[in-house]
Amino acid sequence: MEKYILLRHRDTPGIDELSVYQANDGLQAFEKAVKTMQPADVTLEVKNSGLRGRGGAGFPTGIKWGFLPNDSWPHYVVANADESEPGTFKDREIMESNPFQFLEGLMLACYAVQANQAFIYLRGEFWQLAAYLDQKIKDLEKAGYLGHNILGTDYSLKINTHLGAGAYICGEETALLESLEGKLGQPRLRPPFPAAVGLYAKPTLINNVETLANVPVIIQKGADWYRSIGTAQSPGVKIFSLSGCVNKPGNYELPLGVTYRELIYEHGGGILNDNKIKAVMSAGASSDVVIADDFCLETPLAYETCLERIKAPLGSASVIVLDETVDMAWLVSKTVNFFKHESCGKCTPCREGTFWMNNLTKHMMDNESNSADIDLLRDVALQMQGKCLCALGEFSTMAVVSAVDRFRADFETHVRS
Amino acid sequence: MAEMVTLKINQKIVEVPAGTLIVEAARKAGINIPVFCYHPKMEPVGMCRMCLVEVGYPQKDRTTGDLVKNEDGTTKIVFAPKLETGCTTPVVDGMEVKTNSEKANEAHKSILEFLLTSHPLDCPICDKGGECALQDLTMAHGPGTSRFIYEDKKHLAKQFPLGELILLDRERCIQCGLCVRFQHEVVDDPVLNFYQRGRSLEIQTHSQPGFDSIFSGNTTDICPVGALTTIDFRFGARPWEMERSASICAHCTVGCNMVYNIRREAKTDGKTLIKRAMPRQNELVNELWLCDKGRLGYHYVESPQRLTQPLLRKDDKLVPASWEEAYQQVEDKLRAEKLRLVTLAGGRLTNEDLYNFQQLNHSQEGKAVLYSQMAGGDLTAQIGLGKGSNFSDMGKGTTILVVASDLHEEAPLWWLRVKQAADRGANLIVANARKTRLDKYASHIIRYEYGQEASTIYALLDGKGNEEIEQASQAFAKAENGVVIYGSDGLGLVGSDSLVKACAKILYERGFYGKPNNGLLAVWDKPNMQGAWDMGFHPDRTLKGTLREADVAFIAAADPAGDNPVLKQALEETNFVVVFEMFMTETAKLADVVFPVQAQIEREGTYTSGERRVQWFGNVIPVLKGPKPDFEIAAQIGRLMGLATEGRSPLLVMNKINEKVKGYEEITYTRLNEHVDQWPLISRTDSYYAGTSYENEFGIGIQLATSADRGEELSLGTLILVEPQQEVATGMKVVPVTALYDRGQLLQPSQILDLRLAPQVLTMQPALAEKYHLQDGDPIKLQVAGSEIVSRVRLDEEAPQDVALISRSNGVPISSPVFVQIQRLVLEPEA
């Protein structure tokens, strides 16, 4: 990456200090917006940039901002810093090392939808990070960028951090809102959507941390500039969280459209011990297990291409690489156990299905199963699909079905007959 | 008129109002989409996923908005790729729904298979078997075998007490959330909550005592499986072994419709026993609910203390006698010359009992006294709640004024209905001397001091007073409909009389009478007070003197000696006392003749509820050998005196009432029992909506018209404020208030509620206690009208200033405001 747009601390050490951030164009976008731009114009710029949600769904951000109705007040903005998807660790680095860019993005979003209160919902395990962000927020308040009558305008904004308590499901936006309201973290029915009925039943914008971190550069350098990076349907840069059997796991900020091959071999240093690559999971644990053949490796990592070519969504772009030493059955037993642990229990298929699948894979790992159990596992997963209240249940089945279909031999090693 | 929508469900054309949910539209069309977590009285949540159906929407052109047509001219329907939950999806014009396609059937089967993986095979021992939604739906839609490995089944607590009344079987629970949602949404008692997540999701209660809600029993009805059971009915009987008998609850004036399930048992030598009580659907009275007092308070019928034989006083002792002897004694007494007869009747008697007593009384030129500390039955007969009133219709535009009543304790189902009316936008004004559970839903709260009830209402009428009164007064004036509900919080007969006149005046002046959802509503403390007033009984301010001077006193369903030492003294001076009772009360002990009477549950009759709805109840269990119904005894005495009193059946007595009593012209047993279709459809035969059913195959009662409804001239009397006499008294002022779980005759034998009974204490503010050098928990003795009563002090920050509160029917015989001498009781140390 020539010059980092998001992970700027890798170019500019100390950028987590307000003075350094300001010295490096920091907060100019926000100042420009509150002093000279109309909120609707900020939204328009983001819309034109083609920025898509980086939390996994890839929904056009600017369009989402436009959904908040102007006849229901107040508006709220929530930054989703729950980051609990296995294999995803990008938001953490942004918040730890380039916090002000994230905060500025959040502030711009608030200004665009005319919210005066924002909440950063952090997973419970990030308690130190929350304290850290609180300090950064104080720094901004002291410098006059937050609070009442910011920079002499009549716009006011307060940012609050809020900690979760160890539930992956609270990364789901409606479950997040429930948790934020102090209730049990279980997803709500949609419709109505948070943009219309969100936090405390008011219009609420929820964006991922990485998404928001893109906004200051868009406002400062313009939508056209942003579109010059990445692909036509997936503009901009993405932080790829690369993990698994690679030599250099970590976060890689690259333009969208880079191929798997490039990410894994050029940046990730190739496979550990020079082993043969076997499969990739394109979006953390919530994805299909894709055979890492040439067709796959040549696939550009972008929202439209992943889905089209390997029939697996880009998601939050958390690429887990698996080599020939990895037993797919063991892998599935891990993902299934994760989803069983994290299921909120509200809807029948997920509550019972993840529990059931977990029992089946556990028996397999204990070499207590027979061949029919592999089919049963696949059946149970398919039986859950299309019936769950939220995406957790749906996604928990993807690795199961794809692994059984594509790597049945691995499963067969665990059966008796 | 709501906009109507036409759609097709399984190719059947259905027309319903816009906004109707698919499951409801299907139900109207006679198609049952399987559900677990859906309940027509609660917001849908779409959690159980059982109601998944295929939904097709008419396709609209994106640019023009026109409907896209097929080649044959019909509208193109696009079916969503994923199934949708019918309980959360409102219908759309032109929609097509498939509830039994291959895809939908597979979904229903899948969900059932998922539920059954951990559901225990308890059917042989589970109370719900036979009326279980899970059983029925599994038979209809589910798999026949399980693919789940048995050893993996989760083992959980099988009889976890959520409080001492309700047990939870965690293994059976299917996490549908109905119990939690009922408590939160319907009765606003959030004492149940979900805890943990995933397969470990469970129900917990954190209140002290556990599951602290007077409506807790309803959750056992709505639970679709046998997870929630009452300790009363647990392992009691199989649903198909029991018979259903319609009844009306006799614990308060609401008149909740209920059903007693009975079974004849070999182990009790062939006796028929009541196994449980359940609500019966009456959308005009109690909807689908019962409070726990009504549900669990029927055991008095089977109490071994029941009187079964007439008793006569011989040599100053009460000895068993035959009916003939007893009748003879009474007849002899009545035939004496210059007889002063007083008939003191309680509000527990049926209309038929009261009518016959009145006939008898009238023939002897006796005085008909209603044993009550509440006034106003003559006013409610004139401007009571208009015919056709329904709390469910009250919302925006209606102002409800609740004065001197703690509805949650006095009439729980009215508390619920008033709360729901307020939720729908009705303006609720709550006037009381102390905080009650209704305050939370009030738009205006008015505090007054005990004794100021009537003057507060007059102030409301004039609009003169503090800011609250002014605002409330305006709200009342601006309303389209007005209802005044008055109770007996801190009142005796004198105070009640002043209050009800004030209430009548404010309604009269504002024109809130003579039409539905307008009028005066009394929170009587007994189930048939209104009927008693209608049959000609009125309370007596000088009851003490009346009893003293009486030659003969007939006392039915009343215990004046037990309730008031003054009246006990008076009765000791009455020449001849005839008591009609179920138990050996203090009054019965003073009697010359005691007739054993049947309990309401054992016989047929009618009650007129506080809303002036006449409701029929049948005889639930065969007669306990010995007692007779009051109306029959009264009729027999009448016949011995030469009257043509009807004693053969209550139906025939009602035919007479129908002829002779004003207002009851349209009441016949046939009409009272006419079945009426109600919505939502909660029918027994398909266990459709969650578990045990509430079908009402009997009638829903007939609401009487008031004089105003009939356009008659009103005679409300002089409705002017009479300032209460200055109270010159020493000592502490104590006022009576009502507790739901008291130690009354009908409730005490139900030991099941022992832990919830109101504490026997005198409640007061710490400042007041300090004046008398009393501390929390101190034993005290009270001097009331020459008698000494022992009690205990309980401090309450929220109690009104300068007045102490005592619960009625709870061991301390105070039934109207009094001044007492109070002293700390020094207990002698035990030797």
Side-chain angles (χ1 to χ4, degrees):
Chain A
M1 189 69 203
E2 274 163 17
K3 190 160 180 266
Y4 283 100
I5 295 170
L6 302 173
L7 301 175
R8 294 181 63 197
H9 53 284
R10 296 185 182 185
D11 285 334
T12 316
I15 203 170
D16 57 322
E17 288 300 320
L18 183 54
S19 50
V20 179
Y21 184 64
Q22 280 176 296
N24 285 276
D25 301 335
L27 289 161
Q28 283 184 15
F30 182 64
E31 197 166 334
K32 172 171 136 188
V34 290
K35 281 189 175 167
T36 68
M37 290 172 79
Q38 288 295 313
D41 293 332
V42 178
T43 302
L44 188 60
E45 195 68 23
V46 173
K47 205 187 271 193
N48 290 337
S49 73
L51 173 67
R52 295 170 72 151
R54 300 294 193 239
F59 191 85
T61 307
I63 295 182
K64 194 183 198 177
W65 288 18
F67 281 160
L68 273 71
N70 281 320
D71 54 3
S72 176
W73 297 95
H75 290 174
Y76 293 109
V77 176
V78 174
N80 189 342
D82 190 70
E83 189 161 70
S84 299
E85 184 67 52
T88 311
F89 34 87
K90 56 188 179 66
D91 297 332
R92 177 182 183 163
E93 187 170 345
I94 298 174
M95 290 191 286
E96 279 176 345
S97 308
N98 191 6
F100 287 108
Q101 187 159 329
F102 154 60
L103 289 170
E104 187 180 357
L106 176 58
M107 288 149 69
L108 281 161
C110 293
Y111 181 72
V113 300
Q114 299 180 74
N116 301 111
Q117 277 237 67
F119 297 87
I120 305 172
Y121 185 94
L122 296 124
R123 60 182 293 176
E125 293 87 341
F126 280 175
W127 80 87
Q128 286 174 316
L129 187 46
Y132 174 78
L133 283 175
D134 281 340
Q135 190 52 54
K136 300 301 172 190
I137 292 169
K138 270 210 184 69
D139 291 345
L140 286 169
E141 284 170 349
K142 266 204 222 115
Y145 288 102
L146 290 172
H148 293 291
N149 303 114
I150 295 168
L151 303 175
T153 66
D154 57 12
Y155 181 62
S156 306
L157 176 60
K158 185 175 194 303
I159 303 178
N160 313 280
T161 57
H162 183 98
L163 282 170
Y168 166 76
I169 187 63
C170 288
E172 199 279 337
E173 61 178 13
T174 58
L176 187 158
L177 293 175
E178 289 286 287
S179 172
L180 196 51
E181 288 182 14
K183 303 188 294 209
L184 199 62
Q186 290 183 333
R188 299 174 179 169
L189 278 178
R190 287 181 297 174
F193 291 88
V197 178
L199 188 63
Y200 308 120
K202 295 293 179 190
T204 306
L205 172 66
I206 304 166
N207 273 135
N208 174 262
V209 169
E210 187 187 350
T211 313
L212 292 169
N214 277 284
V215 176
V217 293
I218 292 173
I219 298 300
Q220 185 162 31
K221 298 201 179 149
D224 290 338
W225 168 84
Y226 196 76
R227 276 203 172 274
S228 69
I229 311 165
T231 73
Q233 284 180 293
S234 307
V237 289
K238 182 82 185 68
I239 303 176
F240 296 93
S241 297
L242 183 65
S243 63
C245 309
V246 292
N247 280 309
K248 294 197 284 178
N251 285 319
Y252 292 96
E253 183 185 311
L254 298 164
L256 281 155
V258 65
T259 62
Y260 275 106
R261 192 182 293 282
E262 203 184 313
L263 173 66
I264 295 169
Y265 290 99
E266 275 183 43
H267 300 278
I271 308 299
L272 274 175
N273 303 319
D274 264 337
N275 288 337
K276 213 164 138 262
I277 191 171
K278 186 167 171 182
V280 291
M281 295 184 83
S282 60
S286 296
S287 56
D288 281 352
V289 179
V290 183
I291 300 173
D293 55 12
D294 286 329
F295 184 71
C296 165
L297 290 172
E298 293 308 319
T299 303
L301 283 153
Y303 294 101
E304 67 282 12
T305 43
C306 281
L307 204 53
E308 196 192 296
R309 283 173 62 107
I310 56 174
K311 306 286 186 284
L314 177 69
S316 48
S318 320
V319 179
I320 305 177
V321 178
L322 309 151
D323 69 16
E324 54 186 334
T325 66
V326 177
D327 170 7
M328 290 307 153
W330 169 87
L331 177 82
V332 164
S333 77
K334 288 289 170 192
T335 61
V336 156
N337 183 263
F338 171 77
F339 286 110
K340 169 243 171 201
H341 185 71
E342 297 295 339
S343 167
C344 77
K346 189 170 186 181
C347 76
T348 307
C350 175
R351 182 184 70 238
E352 307 292 342
T354 54
F355 181 69
W356 195 353
M357 289 196 297
N358 185 56
N359 287 329
L360 288 169
T361 54
K362 185 169 180 303
H363 284 301
M364 276 178 205
M365 291 303 110
D366 292 341
N367 293 323
E368 286 172 343
S369 314
N370 60 40
S371 194
D373 288 321
I374 304 173
D375 297 306
L376 179 59
L377 175 65
R378 184 178 182 277
D379 263 353
V380 173
L382 285 174
Q383 201 167 294
M384 283 169 66
Q385 287 182 352
K387 304 198 181 76
C388 300
L389 187 89
C390 84
L392 188 152
E394 303 287 339
F395 289 166
S396 69
T397 64
M398 290 164 68
V400 177
V401 177
S402 55
V404 170
D405 284 348
R406 295 167 187 169
F407 296 100
R408 198 188 172 97
D410 285 9
F411 287 85
E412 297 281 357
T413 64
H414 291 278
V415 304
R416 279 192 245 112
S417 54
Chain B
M1 260 303 281
E3 185 199 319
M4 298 301 276
V5 155
T6 312
L7 68 151
K8 262 198 227 165
I9 306 180
N10 296 347
Q11 295 308 307
K12 198 168 168 180
I13 299 184
V14 182
E15 209 195 348
V16 288
T20 306
L21 301 163
I22 292 179
V23 285
E24 301 234 304
R27 188 96 170 122
K28 279 217 162 90
I31 298 168
N32 292 338
I33 299 175
V35 293
F36 284 115
C37 71
Y38 175 72
H39 195 284
K41 296 279 180 186
M42 295 182 238
E43 286 298 305
V45 283
M47 311 181 17
C48 70
R49 315 306 284 176
M50 190 62 199
C51 62
L52 288 169
V53 289
E54 285 197 71
V55 181
Y57 293 86
Q59 192 177 30
K60 285 207 173 126
D61 187 296
R62 287 211 177 186
T63 35
T64 62
D66 291 336
L67 291 171
V68 175
K69 299 280 183 187
N70 289 321
E71 276 169 13
D72 59 4
T74 53
T75 312
K76 186 154 194 259
I77 306 287
V78 176
F79 277 86
K82 270 174 39 165
L83 299 170
E84 292 183 39
T85 44
C87 70
T88 58
T89 313
V91 299
V92 155
D93 204 60
M95 186 187 256
E96 274 188 36
V97 179
K98 294 191 216 168
T99 74
N100 53 8
S101 64
E102 207 181 298
K103 228 171 149 185
N105 286 341
E106 188 273 335
H108 301 148
K109 186 171 174 194
S110 303
I111 299 300
L112 282 165
E113 182 177 25
F114 280 131
L115 284 172
L116 293 169
T117 54
S118 281
H119 193 83
L121 211 55
D122 276 357
C123 297
I125 57 157
C126 175
D127 286 332
K128 209 76 171 181
E131 51 185 23
C132 172
L134 183 59
Q135 269 186 346
D136 288 4
L137 291 177
T138 301
M139 293 304 286
H141 303 280
T145 51
S146 177
R147 302 184 288 173
F148 193 77
I149 299 169
Y150 181 70
E151 281 77 19
D152 290 337
K153 182 186 168 311
K154 216 168 156 77
H155 293 282
L156 302 161
K158 295 293 286 177
Q159 32 187 23
F160 182 82
L162 293 172
E164 82 285 13
L165 296 175
I166 311 278
L167 294 177
L168 169 63
D169 187 313
R170 291 201 188 288
E171 283 189 355
R172 296 177 192 166
C173 176
I174 58 169
Q175 285 89 9
C176 71
L178 278 171
C179 55
V180 177
R181 285 153 54 212
F182 171 79
Q183 289 297 135
H184 284 247
E185 256 182 71
V186 180
V187 299
D188 199 15
D189 250 338
V191 291
L192 288 185
N193 276 298
F194 272 126
Y195 191 64
Q196 301 278 25
R197 67 172 186 234
R199 191 59 197 77
S200 305
L201 195 65
E202 61 178 31
I203 306 294
Q204 286 214 349
T205 178
H206 294 283
S207 62
Q208 280 299 333
F211 207 164
D212 190 12
S213 169
I214 63 172
F215 297 104
S216 63
N218 292 301
T219 58
T220 63
D221 296 334
I222 58 181
C223 179
V225 293
L228 289 170
T229 50
T230 62
I231 208 127
D232 184 51
F233 180 59
R234 202 167 151 76
F235 296 135
R238 288 316 214 165
W240 59 85
E241 294 171 349
M242 300 190 291
E243 282 178 45
R244 291 160 61 82
S245 299
S247 192
I248 301 288
C249 180
H251 285 287
C252 83
T253 193
V254 174
C256 293
N257 287 203
M258 52 198 302
V259 149
Y260 286 103
N261 288 135
I262 58 174
R263 186 179 71 167
R264 207 158 96 93
E265 301 188 340
K267 67 177 182 222
T268 52
D269 299 328
K271 242 170 80 167
T272 305
L273 292 183
I274 297 174
K275 303 310 290 181
R276 74 174 170 189
M278 275 203 59
R280 182 162 50 101
Q281 181 181 25
N282 188 331
E283 293 296 324
L284 299 160
V285 181
N286 58 311
E287 298 184 28
L288 304 171
W289 319 120
L290 278 183
C291 78
D292 286 351
K293 187 176 184 182
R295 186 185 293 270
L296 303 171
Y298 60 83
H299 304 85
Y300 71 92
V301 183
E302 298 154 354
S303 166
Q305 313 298 326
R306 289 282 302 278
L307 299 173
T308 54
Q309 261 200 299
L311 302 167
L312 285 179
R313 190 168 290 279
K314 287 186 180 143
D315 302 319
D316 211 37
K317 271 200 300 201
L318 282 171
V319 295
S322 70
W323 284 89
E324 289 75 30
E325 273 184 82
Y327 281 134
Q328 192 63 58
Q329 274 254 343
V330 176
E331 189 193 340
D332 289 344
K333 224 25 191 217
L334 286 179
R335 288 199 182 278
E337 280 189 40
K338 291 236 191 280
L339 179 70
R340 279 172 307 203
L341 170 65
V342 168
T343 305
L344 182 64
R348 203 178 15 86
L349 296 170
T350 67
N351 289 323
E352 295 76 11
D353 300 335
L354 291 157
Y355 180 76
N356 278 2
F357 273 122
Q358 179 62 286
Q359 292 291 96
L360 180 58
N361 183 66
H362 189 70
S363 73
Q364 305 297 311
E365 288 165 14
K367 199 166 180 195
V369 180
L370 176 57
Y371 186 58
S372 170
Q373 289 286 332
M374 279 185 78
D378 48 344
L379 292 171
T380 53
Q382 295 188 70
I383 56 168
L385 211 55
K387 188 170 165 76
S389 293
N390 185 354
F391 274 112
S392 301
D393 293 335
M394 295 185 201
K396 259 205 169 84
T398 305
T399 296
I400 304 174
L401 165 63
V402 178
V403 55
S405 178
D406 184 0
L407 275 182
H408 197 258
E409 304 289 318
E410 292 176 20
L413 262 297
W414 281 357
W415 172 89
L416 182 60
R417 305 265 275 156
V418 169
K419 165 202 171 286
Q420 288 172 342
D423 287 343
R424 281 190 302 266
N427 215 317
L428 177 59
I429 306 170
V430 176
N432 208 321
R434 63 193 179 103
K435 183 171 169 202
T436 65
R437 252 181 129 124
L438 200 55
D439 286 7
K440 190 174 168 188
Y441 316 98
S443 341
H444 309 271
I445 300 174
I446 300 174
R447 282 280 168 270
Y448 53 71
E449 280 181 24
Y450 281 116
Q452 301 295 314
E453 297 85 3
S455 52
T456 304
I457 303 298
Y458 281 107
L460 263 178
L461 177 59
D462 295 332
K464 294 203 189 82
N466 60 32
E467 200 184 315
E468 272 166 12
I469 292 199
E470 279 177 21
Q471 286 178 352
S473 174
Q474 277 169 23
F476 201 74
K478 274 193 263 172
E480 284 162 37
N481 300 301
V483 176
V484 176
I485 305 178
Y486 75 97
S488 54
D489 197 75
L491 291 169
L493 188 53
V494 173
S496 181
D497 195 50
S498 304
L499 174 60
V500 71
K501 288 195 165 87
C503 295
K505 178 142 191 164
I506 196 172
L507 285 166
Y508 185 73
E509 294 292 322
R510 297 267 172 263
F512 293 141
Y513 61 92
K515 38 187 179 158
N517 302 323
N518 282 269
L520 183 65
L521 186 57
V523 189
W524 306 115
D525 59 333
K526 294 284 185 290
N528 198 26
M529 282 300 199
Q530 186 61 61
W533 279 88
D534 293 338
M535 297 302 141
F537 287 83
H538 306 136
D540 184 348
R541 282 200 199 196
T542 58
L543 184 56
K544 172 176 147 197
T546 305
L547 285 175
R548 269 217 341 252
E549 289 164 11
D551 293 315
V552 179
F554 283 171
I555 304 182
D559 183 18
D563 289 341
N564 193 338
V566 170
L567 295 176
K568 184 173 180 183
Q569 286 165 11
L571 267 179
E572 279 161 357
E573 297 183 39
T574 314
N575 286 347
F576 193 74
V577 178
V578 183
V579 171
F580 304 77
E581 253 298 344
M582 292 191 287
F583 295 98
M584 198 55 162
T585 58
E586 290 300 310
T587 306
K589 285 185 192 154
L590 297 174
D592 294 287
V593 183
V594 180
F595 285 110
V597 297
Q598 285 180 353
Q600 173 246 358
I601 297 176
E602 291 170 306
R603 63 218 192 85
E604 196 184 2
T606 60
Y607 276 159
T608 306
S609 77
E611 279 176 290
R612 310 195 67 252
R613 180 178 307 279
V614 180
Q615 300 188 107
W616 171 91
F617 52 86
N619 88 330
V620 172
I621 54 177
V623 168
L624 181 71
K625 217 165 152 116
K628 290 184 198 280
D630 293 77
F631 82 90
E632 205 183 292
I633 307 173
Q636 177 63 11
I637 299 173
R639 277 200 298 276
L640 288 172
M641 302 303 295
L643 300 171
T645 36
E646 181 56 70
R648 286 173 296 173
S649 98
L651 184 150
L652 295 171
V653 180
M654 180 48 83
N655 286 347
K656 292 221 156 154
I657 296 175
N658 167 300
E659 274 174 54
K660 299 275 167 54
V661 178
K662 191 157 118 124
Y664 284 71
E665 294 86 0
E666 47 170 347
I667 310 295
T668 67
Y669 273 34
T670 315
R671 288 205 59 215
L672 284 172
N673 274 294
E674 272 166 13
H675 172 78
V676 171
D677 279 332
Q678 299 191 71
W679 184 262
L681 209 51
I682 304 278
S683 148
R684 177 177 181 67
T685 52
D686 50 38
S687 275
Y688 181 57
Y689 287 126
T692 317
S693 78
Y694 322 79
E695 185 177 12
N696 189 353
E697 58 272 61
F698 310 95
I700 57 167
I702 300 173
Q703 194 175 22
L704 299 173
T706 59
S707 309
D709 285 332
R710 291 190 295 261
E712 291 165 11
E713 205 181 295
L714 302 174
S715 60
L716 302 175
T718 38
L719 302 175
I720 52 165
L721 177 63
V722 174
E723 283 295 344
Q725 282 178 320
Q726 275 290 42
E727 295 165 318
V728 178
T730 53
M732 184 188 280
K733 184 168 178 185
V734 177
V735 299
V737 297
T738 303
L740 184 67
Y741 298 138
D742 55 21
R743 285 168 174 75
Q745 192 192 76
L746 295 190
L747 191 60
Q748 261 221 294
S750 295
Q751 290 159 342
I752 195 171
L753 284 168
D754 273 354
L755 294 179
R756 311 243 165 177
L757 295 183
Q760 290 172 298
V761 293
L762 189 65
T763 306
M764 63 187 84
Q765 260 216 3
L768 181 59
E770 231 187 88
K771 258 204 246 172
Y772 290 85
H773 311 292
L774 295 170
Q775 288 178 326
D776 197 27
D778 274 354
I780 44 173
K781 63 178 178 199
L782 313 167
Q783 300 269 19
V784 184
S787 312
E788 232 175 53
I789 300 148
V790 170
S791 186
R792 235 177 343 111
V793 173
R794 186 180 69 174
L795 297 185
D796 184 357
E797 294 281 348
E798 294 188 329
Q801 278 183 327
D802 300 326
V803 178
L805 306 174
I806 195 94
S807 298
R808 294 187 176 93
S809 299
N810 207 22
V812 175
I814 292 176
S815 50
S816 56
V818 287
F819 281 84
V820 302
Q821 299 302 320
I822 183 167
Q823 247 189 314
R824 203 168 152 273
L825 184 66
V826 180
L827 294 168
E828 293 294 326
E830 299 211 3

